Amino acid sequence: MADPLLRVFSAPAVRYFQEVARAGSFRKAAEQLNVAASAVHRHVGLLEEQIGTRLFDRSPGRGGLKLTAAGEVLAHRLQAAMGEVSTALREIEGLSGVQRGRVAIGTSDVLATDFMPSVLAEFKRAHPRVDVHVRVGSPSQMADQLLDHHLDALLCFDAAPRIGMSFVGEYALKSCVLVPRGHPFAEKRMLSLAECAEYPLILPDETQYLRGILDQMFHEVGVKPAPYIQTNSYTLMRDLVDDGLGIAIQTQLDGFSTRRHPNVVYVPLKESLARYSILTCCIANSRRLPIAANLFVEALQGALAGSFGKYRTDA
């Protein structure tokens, strides 16, 4: 059986009490509420009866109606509670796309080019009034911004575990050798690093994690790469392969990688590149995401599962 007090708190008694507390008078409160003063007296009296204490000091005098200590406590708590209700209503409106919001996502250049456009298109169709900011940078730079709360989420390859950062999706994709269509390697089922060293390479520069892996692995297999071009942009690396200037090593995004570069062929690499091809969605576990950001992360997780679900490692 429901608590009688809850029935009172769901009735006009609370609203009438709050209006009397604001107005300092039963008569003025009744005018504001457009009800009879007797109704205000009755409901406030019922509230006092249920609580078991007086909420107003009704002593005659020029000081007007005063809240008792109990009334002060109730008025303060009700104001805080109504603030929480207002916040909840705004968040519920945000769920349906009624309210504006802002999302900041960090990612890499290839993911920004290949994967993010479809995610953004779907999200903006559902939430057209939400502003979305996409920042491109290295995983370490983006992780710093995530932990400083300048980003709401991070989608990148090779995200190193950090204190305060949680992985909400991790996918082990394929490391591949990118070659132009018509290249001698284009028909191969698999390639080794030793074979790659025979042709001009387009390599990530020393600021990129992959470069250290490749240098070490070339050293271990006892080969030295042919003359190469280096850059910190994986998008440019792919463009250069498309132009026939060399071959490169990158991660393949199944269903996305060849859309913009149909003349680039992805041949699986024989050697493992550690965590280089691990695609990870990260959030900071030290904050509660705003409603718009939370909606975007949910949409991003859904898109990742739909596109790369078979590669998931943390399911």
Side-chain angles (χ1 to χ4, degrees):
M1 184 175 179
D3 187 332
L5 187 59
L6 295 179
R7 291 201 298 272
V8 171
F9 270 69
S10 64
V14 169
R15 184 160 59 97
Y16 289 3
F17 164 76
Q18 288 181 297
E19 193 59 47
V20 173
R22 279 192 292 265
S25 162
F26 282 96
R27 179 183 57 79
K28 291 179 181 179
E31 292 173 356
Q32 291 293 325
L33 294 165
N34 196 28
V35 298
S38 59
V40 178
H41 276 282
R42 184 172 65 255
H43 281 289
V44 171
L46 178 60
L47 186 60
E48 290 177 320
E49 181 181 336
Q50 291 290 336
I51 294 175
T53 188
R54 294 176 68 83
L55 299 173
F56 293 100
D57 182 357
R58 296 171 174 80
S59 301
R62 294 189 175 185
L65 199 65
K66 298 290 186 181
L67 285 165
T68 64
E72 292 278 4
V73 170
L74 182 60
H76 172 73
R77 293 301 182 184
L78 284 174
Q79 183 177 11
M82 293 308 294
E84 289 296 315
V85 171
S86 297
T87 299
L89 291 175
R90 287 195 299 271
E91 290 186 351
I92 290 169
E93 288 181 332
L95 286 171
S96 61
V98 175
Q99 293 292 326
R100 293 184 64 88
R102 181 183 183 277
V103 179
I105 178 79
T107 192
S108 68
D109 55 356
V110 168
L111 288 167
T113 300
D114 290 2
F115 182 67
M116 290 303 299
S118 62
V119 178
L120 292 170
E122 185 67 26
F123 182 79
K124 292 295 286 184
R125 276 194 291 270
H127 308 284
R129 300 183 67 188
V130 174
D131 298 326
V132 182
H133 297 226
V134 180
R135 299 179 187 173
V136 174
S138 70
S140 60
Q141 291 173 332
M142 296 292 101
D144 288 342
Q145 294 187 36
L146 179 71
L147 293 174
D148 288 340
H149 299 174
H150 297 307
L151 294 175
D152 297 306
L154 168 61
L155 181 68
C156 67
F157 292 103
D158 180 42
R162 301 273 291 269
I163 295 175
M165 189 169 75
S166 297
F167 295 168
V168 293
E170 194 171 79
Y171 303 83
L173 304 186
K174 293 181 292 186
S175 297
C176 293
V177 182
L178 281 62
V179 302
R181 195 171 297 280
H183 189 278
F185 286 164
E187 302 299 323
K188 290 268 193 176
R189 296 184 61 184
M190 187 171 287
L191 288 167
S192 68
L193 281 177
E195 290 175 295
C196 294
E198 299 173 5
Y199 286 87
L201 281 168
I202 301 161
L203 296 174
D205 67 17
E206 287 82 358
T207 66
Q208 305 301 305
Y209 174 73
L210 177 60
R211 178 59 180 273
I213 295 176
L214 291 176
D215 286 348
Q216 179 64 30
M217 293 179 72
F218 279 126
H219 176 75
E220 289 176 358
V221 296
V223 296
K224 185 177 180 181
Y228 55 80
I229 300 171
Q230 64 177 0
T231 175
N232 67 343
S233 169
Y234 287 89
T235 299
L236 177 59
M237 289 169 62
R238 191 172 53 185
D239 289 341
L240 296 174
V241 172
D242 200 356
D243 288 340
L245 293 177
I247 63 177
I249 296 171
Q250 287 190 13
T251 304
Q252 183 176 11
L253 297 171
D254 288 359
F256 297 91
S257 293
T258 58
R259 286 184 184 176
R260 297 178 184 273
H261 296 271
N263 292 321
V264 173
V265 177
Y266 286 72
V267 182
L269 182 67
K270 180 179 179 180
E271 289 87 355
S272 170
L273 296 182
R275 288 187 55 85
Y276 166 68
S277 291
I278 301 292
L279 176 61
T280 309
C281 181
C282 313
I283 60 172
N285 53 28
S286 59
R287 68 183 289 227
R288 180 172 179 253
L289 287 177
I291 187 66
N294 193 59
L295 287 170
F296 186 85
V297 170
E298 289 179 356
L300 182 57
Q301 288 177 288
L304 288 168
S307 299
F308 312 119
K310 63 182 179 180
Y311 300 116
R312 183 151 190 170
T313 62
D314 62 339

